[in-house]
Amino acid sequence: MKTEDLIRALAVDGRTPPPALGRSVGDRLVPGIIIAIGTFFALLGPRPGLLTALTDDPRVFFKIGLTFLLACLAAPVMLQLVRPGAELRHFSLRLAIVPVLLLIAVLLELFAFPEADWGIRLVGHNAAFCLKSIPLLALAPFCALLLALRRGAPSRPALAGAAAGLFAGAIGATLYATHCPDDSPLFVATWYSIGIGLVTAAGGLIGSRLLRW
Amino acid sequence: MRSHDREQKWAALMRAALTGDEAAYQQLLRDLTPVLRAAARRGLSAGGYAGMDAEDVVQETLLAIHLKRQTWDVASPFSPWLWAIVRHKTIDALRRRGRRIHVPIEDYEDVLGSDEAEPTMLVEDIDRHLKGLPDRQRDVVRIIAVDGASIGEAAQQLAMSAGAVRVALHRGLAALAAKFRMGEA
């Protein structure tokens, strides 16, 4: 088959316009998030007195807000990573706001409590449960994102998969944050990071195979 | 100036192509082909395979441009997107031949179309890959590509519905790209 022949076939196939990439990600992510929310209400549910806690303790607002912010900032990085030649730098720089905010919160917490309390606040009540719950809640969005990204074209498939894992992990963490009774930034910085990190690592591993093109 | 003009032209054609404009799309792919050919030659010789036939890489790159065209953001420039795909596919082709090289992306900015005519010989890889496709997909791709049939004509010849022809064509092209990717050489 000559190149000219191939072009003819491509042009005929091109009469069916492909759905935009952002759209196909959205179409898959919405059911993924609905499943995650369903799982959340079936197994965990919001903590008692969530609304009063949100206004009474800035730590509660901070942890939910920070995980939500992470999800919002990870999404565009993920999309840029599956677009060949797309500008990446300022999207990834914005993502750095999250660890900076977390570090500030940790320092404030260290000043607010005597050294003797640090250990208790770090370990919390629920560390192992947190580690299980974040990946569990992230699972459906994670699968949805990786499937959608197969229509993408990442120059670095592992990195794109990791970004999808980070985004899904942040969605799982945002939901979990409304259940979790441990509000100390020391707890969030440790266990939330590990939970989200596990999902990110899984995304990198799977992405390096699944997202090759 | 020249690269600015062609950027404008390519971007306009691709924007039309993404709405399903077959003529604009065919013109874009035809315009890109000599440039892809020159870029493939440059990439292959940088990787130490100067003598290798670049046409396989050109065809594989065209398939990638086609199957991934939804990843171009219409609000951003077209050329960086194109060069990133060319680079990815060139590295891929070299890697399958056992070379691992770095192809700097800026290297492509000044690539102009090669003056040489299209090689008239049939390209081996794609025909071998075509043979490995499921019967329906292979027949549809062949009738439309080689015989120049329309969707309607292909449907009539193969006693399929037009919708089934469209699906088989798209799946066949995706399968061809996958076979390129898996092929060892």
Side-chain angles (χ1 to χ4, degrees):
Chain A
M1 192 195 293
K2 288 190 272 184
T3 301
E4 183 57 33
D5 300 335
L6 177 66
I7 288 175
R8 194 176 302 125
L10 298 181
V12 171
D13 191 41
R15 284 216 306 240
T16 317
L21 190 65
R23 166 114 199 247
S24 32
V25 170
D27 285 352
R28 289 226 160 87
L29 185 59
V30 168
I33 289 180
I34 290 171
I35 293 172
I37 292 175
T39 312
F40 172 76
F41 278 103
L43 300 178
L44 303 158
R47 70 197 250 175
L50 173 65
L51 291 180
T52 35
L54 266 171
T55 48
D56 291 353
D57 187 348
R59 291 178 186 81
V60 180
F61 180 80
F62 176 77
K63 76 174 177 180
I64 298 173
L66 190 72
T67 48
F68 184 71
L69 179 69
L70 178 62
C72 295
L73 294 177
V77 172
M78 177 196 81
L79 275 179
Q80 292 299 93
L81 277 168
V82 297
R83 294 185 188 280
E87 198 277 331
L88 193 62
R89 183 166 310 198
H90 89 260
F91 291 96
S92 12
L93 280 178
R94 267 196 272 170
L95 197 55
I97 296 169
V98 173
V100 170
L101 287 175
L102 188 57
L103 185 68
I104 293 170
V106 165
L107 290 175
L108 289 174
E109 181 82 346
L110 292 180
F111 281 117
F113 287 91
E115 202 173 331
D117 290 352
W118 291 356
I120 300 164
R121 300 191 70 78
L122 186 141
V123 173
H125 316 82
N126 247 347
F129 189 66
C130 168
L131 282 187
K132 275 186 289 189
S133 299
I134 290 177
L136 177 74
L137 294 170
L139 184 64
F142 180 75
C143 297
L145 288 174
L146 282 174
L147 282 178
L149 292 192
R150 296 196 66 187
R151 300 191 63 241
S155 305
R156 284 164 290 180
L159 198 59
L166 183 66
F167 182 22
I171 293 170
T174 305
L175 285 172
Y176 178 69
T178 64
H179 166 84
C180 169
D182 291 302
D183 302 324
S184 169
L186 299 179
F187 183 91
V188 174
T190 310
W191 306 107
Y192 280 51
S193 302
I194 297 177
I196 296 170
L198 288 172
V199 186
T200 307
L205 273 175
I206 297 172
S208 71
R209 306 206 166 265
L210 191 73
L211 301 182
R212 278 160 62 182
W213 56 285
Chain B
M1 194 58 206
R2 184 169 193 167
S3 78
H4 174 77
D5 287 348
R6 82 177 179 185
E7 160 66 36
Q8 298 297 315
K9 187 179 166 208
W10 288 347
L13 287 173
M14 189 53 138
R15 265 191 289 274
L18 286 173
T19 64
D21 182 337
E22 183 184 347
Y25 190 38
Q26 189 156 5
Q27 194 196 331
L28 173 69
L29 296 177
R30 283 204 180 118
D31 284 4
L32 291 182
T33 300
V35 181
L36 295 180
R37 201 170 282 136
R41 292 214 176 97
R42 181 185 289 202
L44 290 176
S45 67
Y49 282 87
M52 202 180 84
D53 185 16
E55 208 59 19
D56 293 328
V57 182
V58 172
Q59 295 191 348
E60 194 186 349
T61 307
L62 282 167
L63 275 166
I65 289 169
H66 177 65
L67 294 168
K68 300 298 184 184
R69 65 199 189 284
Q70 67 277 357
T71 65
W72 178 53
D73 177 1
V74 294
S76 60
F78 178 79
S79 306
W81 177 84
L82 176 73
W83 300 136
I85 289 183
V86 169
R87 180 173 174 272
H88 186 82
K89 281 295 151 193
T90 306
I91 291 175
D92 215 30
L94 287 167
R95 189 179 290 153
R96 283 201 300 271
R97 289 160 178 86
R99 295 285 173 124
R100 195 172 275 268
I101 63 146
H102 178 67
V103 181
I105 205 157
E106 317 78 58
D107 260 24
Y108 290 115
E109 295 296 345
D110 61 334
V111 171
L112 299 174
S114 96
D115 297 331
E116 291 169 62
E118 179 186 353
T120 47
M121 66 200 173
L122 299 176
V123 179
E124 248 174 62
D125 276 10
I126 197 163
D127 288 318
R128 186 161 43 85
H129 296 325
L130 196 57
K131 282 199 193 97
L133 257 49
D135 293 353
R136 269 289 157 90
Q137 294 176 13
R138 187 193 54 223
D139 294 344
V140 167
V141 172
R142 194 170 274 158
I143 286 177
I144 290 174
V146 182
D147 306 345
S150 66
I151 296 268
E153 289 160 355
Q156 211 164 28
Q157 279 186 51
L158 296 169
M160 293 165 74
S161 72
V165 169
R166 269 187 217 103
V167 170
L169 174 64
H170 186 74
R171 292 203 178 140
L173 293 170
L176 270 181
K179 288 198 178 292
F180 266 108
R181 203 164 61 237
M182 302 307 169
E184 59 273 55

